[in-house]
Amino acid sequence: MSFLRPCALYKSFITFPSRRWMPCQSRGFLRWPGFDGFFRFLVIALLWSTFSEIRFIPSSSMYPTLRVGDRIIVEKASYFFRSPAINDIVTFRPPEQETGFGKDAVLIKRIVAKGGDVVQVHHGSLYVNGVAQNEDFIAERPSYTLELNYVPSGHVYVLGDNRNNSYDSHDWGPLPVENIVGRYAMCCYRPSNH
């Protein structure tokens, strides 16, 4: 029955020390993940889709912070525990009175004022409660003038970082907080041609 035994060359190939580390040598490598592995994957996928999403930046309204073509991760959980803060970059549904947006349209801007604040833009600077804001993240100083604008409770005032090329609160007024979808977490992809 010697013809049924593996040859010496085969034995030395399998037991050769440099081949032992290979994961395919273990039987566990070939098994499908069990129910618990599938359940873990399902829980992670549900949590990811519930509390975060990936968005595409279609315009230059947030330039230079975000560029056209960037893919960003938006997290939707933090505003369950805290209220929006100044300088948060948020995604939101446009206000009800604004036409020209689809039902599922989502915009992205920076919060510059909260409920109870007074906003004004003149001489190329943003003033919140009469204090000029130091904004080193904007593309250029605003070329428009905005008279005193009171932000009511339950609203925020949002502006794009590219102030002169952004459709934002200086056009439609304060944004209701309930329109906020989530907060910008990070840029996960930036096209190489920018």
Side-chain angles (χ1 to χ4, degrees):
M1 290 261 195
S2 64
F3 63 91
L4 292 177
R5 281 184 267 146
C7 69
L9 184 61
Y10 176 77
K11 282 184 178 179
S12 66
F13 179 73
I14 293 297
T15 58
F16 196 69
S18 66
R19 300 273 184 203
R20 285 188 201 153
W21 66 267
M22 294 180 65
C24 61
Q25 292 297 318
S26 70
R27 303 273 185 231
F29 176 74
L30 300 175
R31 283 188 284 152
W32 288 95
F35 176 74
D36 59 337
F38 175 74
F39 184 71
R40 287 178 188 161
F41 173 77
L42 186 64
V43 167
I44 289 171
L46 287 174
L47 287 175
W48 174 264
S49 64
T50 302
F51 297 118
S52 66
E53 62 187 12
I54 296 178
R55 288 281 178 174
F56 170 78
I57 304 298
S59 74
S60 63
S61 69
M62 284 299 292
Y63 181 81
T65 306
L66 300 172
R67 299 178 183 155
V68 175
D70 284 358
R71 305 290 195 282
I72 62 168
I73 296 177
V74 175
E75 63 89 11
K76 301 186 277 186
S78 66
Y79 293 143
F80 290 125
F81 307 108
R82 68 177 184 92
S83 60
I86 293 178
N87 286 327
D88 280 357
I89 298 175
V90 294
T91 58
F92 57 90
R93 293 179 309 281
E96 295 289 327
Q97 73 269 16
E98 293 307 308
T99 58
F101 292 107
K103 180 184 175 204
D104 297 328
V106 174
L107 305 176
I108 183 166
K109 306 289 180 216
R110 184 183 300 269
I111 296 176
V112 296
K114 299 187 302 185
D117 291 340
V118 177
V119 179
Q120 183 179 23
V121 175
H122 64 86
H123 303 299
S125 293
L126 170 71
Y127 292 85
V128 178
N129 298 326
V131 178
Q133 302 298 300
N134 180 17
E135 300 178 301
D136 55 353
F137 47 79
I138 62 175
E140 58 187 6
R141 296 165 61 100
S143 60
Y144 55 86
T145 300
L146 179 69
E147 296 305 317
L148 285 175
N149 200 340
Y150 176 75
V151 182
S153 179
H155 289 69
V156 292
Y157 205 84
V158 294
L159 295 175
D161 288 353
N162 191 355
R163 296 288 156 84
N164 297 317
N165 187 23
S166 181
Y167 188 60
D168 49 29
S169 286
H170 89 272
D171 293 310
W172 69 66
L175 175 77
V177 171
E178 63 263 9
N179 285 27
I180 295 177
V181 173
R183 182 178 64 91
Y184 164 80
M186 65 179 285
C187 182
C188 62
Y189 172 75
R190 175 162 284 165
S192 59
N193 61 350
H194 291 283

